[in-house]
Structure formats: C-alpha cells, structure tokens
Amino acid sequence: MTRREFREHTAILTFIYEFYPEDEWEEQFDFYSDYAGISMDDRESLRLRVLAVENKKREIDDFIDKASRKWRISRIAKTDLMLLRVAVYEIKFDEEVPNKVAVNEAIELAKIYGGDESPAFVNGVLAKFMTKEEKKEEN
C-alpha cells in the first residue's frame, strides 16, 4: 500500500470511528478492510495509526480549534475534520512525515472527499502549522 493510500484509508477509518460505539469499531474496521481489499499485512499498521489518531484526538482538536479561529470543531464538516485530524497528527506526532507532505496530501484528499471550499479551508488551517521556511518552499 502506498503512503497516500495508507493516509486515505486512515482518514476514512477515522471518519467511520466517529459514527460507531468504540466496542463496535473493530467489526467496522474489519468490514471496511475486507471491502477495500486491504491486505492482512497492512491492516495492523493501519489499525494502529487510526487508534493513534483517536488517542490524540482531544489534543489534535485543540490544535485545529486554535488554527481555525472562526470555525469551531463542531462547525467543521466531518469530511474536512477527518482530513485535518490525520494531517495534524502527522505534523505534530509523526516525525517521519514532512509537514509539507502532510499538508499537500490533505489538500489533495479534500479535493476528492470534501466540498468545493474544502481544499482552500484545509490549506488555510494547515498552513498555520507550517514554519516560515516551509511556507517559502511552497511558493
């Protein structure tokens, strides 16, 4: 599985996690993994990543809340929020993923899963997590 596919599955499963009680999530994970054709080799690392995002959700949401001043978590579209959570997790807690990669991938996924304004919104929020040097590299 490519890193982009891994990230996309993580975002989708994070979205699914929102709608099911915790005790039903493993069943939903297995159902989704079967449906999406995720290999047994990739399932464990994917499951661990989703749970890592979920375990840090309160912290991640605080970061998002501060970066999206006019949009509180409760007002952000669930699809945008799932992408933001995965990207902020990568920026703040995963040293292997460069910040600009996390941002660019989230924007690309927002084009697929979000509304017309989603890519700009996701970019605007995540840009606040980039250093000045990273922002210069983008231009």
Side-chain angles (χ1 to χ4, degrees), residues 35-89:
Y35 174 79
I38 298 171
S39 73
M40 289 301 194
D41 292 340
D42 291 330
R43 287 184 190 206
E44 185 60 15
S45 57
L46 182 59
R47 186 180 71 75
L48 291 174
R49 174 53 61 103
V50 173
L51 293 175
V53 172
E54 287 301 317
N55 288 334
K56 295 283 189 185
K57 185 164 57 173
R58 185 170 292 158
E59 259 182 278
I60 291 167
D61 285 357
D62 286 343
F63 287 127
I64 294 169
D65 205 35
K66 289 173 186 162
S68 60
R69 294 178 201 165
K70 295 179 184 177
W71 292 91
R72 297 293 164 233
I73 293 294
S74 61
R75 292 186 62 209
I76 297 174
K78 292 290 186 199
T79 51
D80 295 348
L81 185 56
M82 72 176 186
L83 298 171
L84 288 170
R85 283 177 174 156
V86 171
V88 171
Y89 177 85

Side-chain angles (χ1 to χ4, degrees), residues 3 7 17 19 26 39 74 83-84 106-107 110 127 131:
R3 287 182 183 223
R7 186 174 288 109
Y17 201 97
F19 295 100
E26 288 293 334
S39 73
S74 61
L83 298 171
L84 288 170
I107 293 166
T131 64

Side-chain angles (χ1 to χ4, degrees), residues 13-45:
L13 286 161
T14 300
F15 183 82
I16 290 170
Y17 201 97
E18 286 288 306
F19 295 100
Y20 289 94
E22 192 171 337
D23 61 335
E24 292 180 23
W25 189 78
E26 288 293 334
E27 182 180 340
Q28 293 302 317
F29 175 85
D30 290 338
F31 177 75
Y32 174 81
S33 296
D34 290 342
Y35 174 79
I38 298 171
S39 73
M40 289 301 194
D41 292 340
D42 291 330
R43 287 184 190 206
E44 185 60 15
S45 57

